[in-house]
Amino acid sequence: MESRPPLPPFSRETAIEKIRLAEDAWNSRDPARIVLAYSPDTRWRNRVDFPQGRAQAQALLERKWRRELDYRLIKELWAHDGHRIAVRFAYEWHDDTGQWYRSYGNENWAFAENGLMTHRHASINDLAIGEDERKFFWPLGRRPDGHPGLSELGL
């Protein structure tokens, strides 16, 4: 059976570890890799999309990164309890016209015993920003360990 540590029930430390692993995966912008952290029958709410299963989740991510270019994400723990984690996040991206955005949101996650995410409920708002308002400048990919998080950036 598939397993994706850390496993629930989550402590503060293992919840933070799980969040960083998710952030790292999403910053890879590799939908095929990302969906492996979700159960085969995962259920999402992402804006107005409601994918069910890995194939639909992967298709959503593929569409996402065709539109959201130069994507950089930071996630932060909001709360945790047993098999659930609540996360707040922000990410920066630009569209094909060069307009930058900062997208803010919250996610509620539920996990199976094997550590795969069974439910992901995301609420996301986009704010157009000028290039001079950007805060996420690391090279594409994993956020460097020394880079400030959301709280340190005042977000």
Side-chain angles (χ1 to χ4, degrees):
M1 180 179 208
E2 295 176 85
S3 178
R4 187 64 71 139
L7 306 177
F10 298 108
S11 66
R12 177 177 173 73
E13 293 72 28
T14 60
I16 290 170
E17 180 183 353
K18 194 74 155 179
I19 292 164
R20 182 59 193 240
L21 290 168
E23 176 187 312
D24 292 349
W26 281 64
N27 275 326
S28 78
R29 297 176 327 280
D30 181 350
R33 171 184 166 206
I34 293 164
V35 298
L36 296 177
Y38 298 88
S39 65
D41 61 347
T42 192
R43 299 176 67 89
W44 288 18
R45 180 182 48 77
N46 190 90
R47 298 181 190 264
V48 298
D49 294 307
F50 297 85
Q52 296 182 27
R54 285 179 175 167
Q56 288 183 15
Q58 183 171 335
L60 180 148
L61 294 172
E62 289 167 354
R63 288 190 308 273
K64 172 185 181 64
W65 287 311
R66 281 195 296 270
R67 180 176 164 264
E68 296 177 359
L69 308 174
D70 291 325
Y71 172 98
R72 290 171 179 86
L73 164 74
I74 300 176
K75 293 181 180 277
E76 186 174 279
L77 175 67
W78 186 254
H80 69 91
D81 183 26
H83 288 64
R84 294 184 173 156
I85 299 175
V87 175
R88 67 187 200 96
F89 64 86
Y91 61 90
E92 292 181 352
W93 58 281
H94 67 84
D95 63 18
D96 58 3
T97 71
Q99 173 61 58
W100 281 94
Y101 295 87
R102 186 172 304 116
S103 298
Y104 297 95
N106 299 293
E107 294 176 311
N108 296 314
W109 300 343
F111 294 87
E113 295 290 332
N114 63 0
L116 295 176
M117 193 181 301
T118 60
H119 293 80
R120 176 183 172 269
H121 302 284
S123 297
I124 307 167
N125 298 297
D126 302 319
L127 174 67
I129 60 172
E131 191 158 352
D132 61 326
E133 297 174 273
R134 292 182 53 215
K135 296 180 182 278
F136 303 173
F137 291 103
W138 66 87
L140 290 176
R142 185 179 193 277
R143 176 174 54 103
D145 289 334
H147 191 283
L150 295 178
S151 293
E152 292 86 2
L153 290 169
L155 299 174

